[in-house]
Amino acid sequence: MSRTLKLLFLVLFFAVGLFAAEAKLVSVKTSDTSVVLEFSSPVSSDDIKQNKLDNPQNKSTYRSFFDIRAVSMIKPQSFTKTKLFDALKVSQFDKEHIRVVAVLDTHDKLVYRIDGKSVIVENEQKQSKEKQDTTKSQDNSTKSENTKNEAAKDVLSNLNLESDKKQESTIEPSLVNNSQPQVPDKRKIIVIDPGHGGKDSGAIGINSKKEKNIVFAVAVLTKELLEKRGYKVLLTRDGDYFVELQDRTRFADSKGADLFLSIHANAVDLRHSDPGKAKGVETFFLSPARSERAKRAAEKENGPSMDVMDSITKGAFLNVLNREKIVASNKFAIDIHRAVLANLRAKFKDTVDGGVREAPFWVLVGAQMPAVLVEIGYITNPDEAERFDNPIFRNLLARGLADAVDSYFENN
Ligand SMILES: [Zn+2]
């Protein structure tokens, strides 16, 4: 080792010593809206590193970490469930960092801000969360609240900082060296559901056209457009394979989606109907509607998985739909319908308005967000079947769907 290098090391050694963590954690306070960490001196955002890890024990929660360059002057602190988190622990992580670990519902995201000597951790979507909680507390009995608190305690007892450390280095080593604070992802999440897939071709139309292929092409175009407009878009299937109906909304729920859009193409039974007559765009949202017309509309898309449920189970599913969700889905359906018709008619003036309707579509049951099913036209109609192959028609459709998402968020 050269003399200069030795000198450099010496200087570095002192520099590290000089700038080593000086901030001292003196107190931690939690409330339903925030966690306030009080330090002896101001903390800079360069001293805070935020990361997250999936919770292997429970897929509906994850862990959010904040590593703060500081020394704790207090004992490790543990907190059980508040409106903000399922569980939270604050303790010294290594010589220079304290670690705040929160167990969160996958729908929630914590962010931090610095206020003088305080670091305040709070929910990114505080307002929407509070709204949810009002509904929750109306629906839930005290008993289920207690069960939840018990569960939260279990979660807390599993919160082992040592194992967190191990996971970090073995599962996601990139997290360790990532000194950039994570930018919170505030994009709205749209789940697009191309109907059918794989062994389920959906309806078969003129020239043996398959519904599954047409709706997939439109879904991909819509995804690309929405992504250009800044949305985060996920498809329930990204290829030609079969997905169970209930797994489609379950996927949307697990991703914390803001909107769910199922795309289908309509058909009539060619043996009994005039294929030229049935045409146009129809948009549906889920409601407990029991009318014969609504039932008929849903029958084709529901398929066997709805048939195997007895009528009591079906009724029970539909009865849990809350009024607020139906109204939101209705609004989204109107936006979809208007925007799709407006875009298509710019080029295809004769596009028929099949109306916005409520119907008990099984694929929409279980969605925690506004959910709509659009039938983009009839593949049994010669004109419409031909248009489905036309790139101009497909692009206009995609633009209509993307415009609808924009206008939904502008107004709601
Ligand atoms: Zn379909």
Side-chain angles (χ1 to χ4, degrees), residues 23-29 35-43 68 70-74 90 98 115-121:
K24 296 179 177 69
L25 175 68
V26 292
S27 77
V28 181
K29 290 188 190 103
V35 178
V36 181
L37 301 137
E38 199 76 48
F39 293 88
S40 59
S41 54
V43 175
I68 306 170
V71 174
S72 179
M73 294 286 107
I74 51 175
V90 182
I98 60 155
D115 185 6
K117 294 179 185 175
S118 303
V119 173
I120 299 149
V121 176

Side-chain angles (χ1 to χ4, degrees), residues 195-196 202-203 211 263-265 300-301 375:
H196 314 278
E211 178 186 357
I263 304 176
H264 288 257
K300 183 176 70 71
E301 303 296 1
E375 299 273 5

Side-chain angles (χ1 to χ4, degrees), residues 230-358:
Y231 296 95
K232 181 175 178 182
V233 185
L234 303 165
L235 298 177
T236 53
R237 64 174 173 99
D238 53 12
D240 184 17
Y241 50 85
F242 180 72
V243 180
E244 292 284 355
L245 289 184
Q246 59 268 40
D247 289 340
R248 298 170 187 249
T249 43
R250 211 173 275 162
F251 171 78
D253 291 341
S254 74
K255 298 295 176 189
D258 296 288
L259 290 175
F260 180 85
L261 172 61
S262 190
I263 304 176
H264 288 257
N266 226 329
V268 288
D269 188 337
L270 292 173
R271 289 166 302 181
H272 305 114
S273 318
D274 174 1
K277 271 187 187 161
K279 55 181 171 180
V281 178
E282 292 167 23
T283 310
F284 297 91
F285 61 99
L286 183 67
S287 89
R290 306 291 213 287
S291 75
E292 277 310 309
R293 189 178 173 187
K295 271 189 214 157
R296 266 202 310 278
E299 244 161 41
K300 183 176 70 71
E301 303 296 1
N302 283 336
S305 49
M306 190 72 166
D307 297 340
V308 296
M309 295 179 80
D310 59 74
S311 58
I312 296 169
T313 321
K314 282 181 206 170
F317 259 109
L318 295 172
N319 285 335
V320 298
L321 295 172
N322 68 50
R323 189 71 216 149
E324 204 181 334
K325 205 160 78 188
I326 295 174
V327 170
S329 295
N330 191 358
K331 283 181 182 169
F332 183 37
I334 291 168
D335 287 331
I336 288 282
H337 201 70
R338 271 194 199 141
V340 166
L341 280 182
N343 275 278
L344 289 182
R345 282 176 173 169
K347 178 93 175 87
F348 304 92
K349 299 209 169 9
D350 60 345
T351 304
V352 170
D353 177 353
V356 174
R357 294 184 210 151
E358 39 193 320

Side-chain angles (χ1 to χ4, degrees), residues 5 10 68 125 164 168 179 201 203 206 241 252 278 332 334 361 369 383 401:
L5 211 58
L10 208 65
I68 306 170
Q125 293 149 329
D164 291 336
E168 215 179 52
S179 58
S201 300
I206 305 267
Y241 50 85
F332 183 37
I334 291 168
F361 279 109
M369 69 295 303
D383 292 337
L401 296 171

Side-chain angles (χ1 to χ4, degrees), residues 184-257:
D185 189 348
K186 288 183 178 171
R187 290 178 299 167
K188 295 279 186 197
I189 302 170
I190 317 299
V191 167
I192 300 179
D193 172 45
H196 314 278
K199 64 182 181 186
D200 172 15
S201 300
I204 308 284
I206 305 267
N207 298 330
S208 311
K209 263 187 220 316
K210 289 173 181 164
E211 178 186 357
K212 65 172 183 179
N213 298 329
I214 293 163
V215 297
F216 183 71
V218 174
V220 170
L221 282 175
T222 311
K223 178 181 193 279
E224 287 166 2
L225 254 185
L226 283 169
E227 281 172 345
K228 276 187 200 150
R229 298 185 188 184
Y231 296 95
K232 181 175 178 182
V233 185
L234 303 165
L235 298 177
T236 53
R237 64 174 173 99
D238 53 12
D240 184 17
Y241 50 85
F242 180 72
V243 180
E244 292 284 355
L245 289 184
Q246 59 268 40
D247 289 340
R248 298 170 187 249
T249 43
R250 211 173 275 162
F251 171 78
D253 291 341
S254 74
K255 298 295 176 189

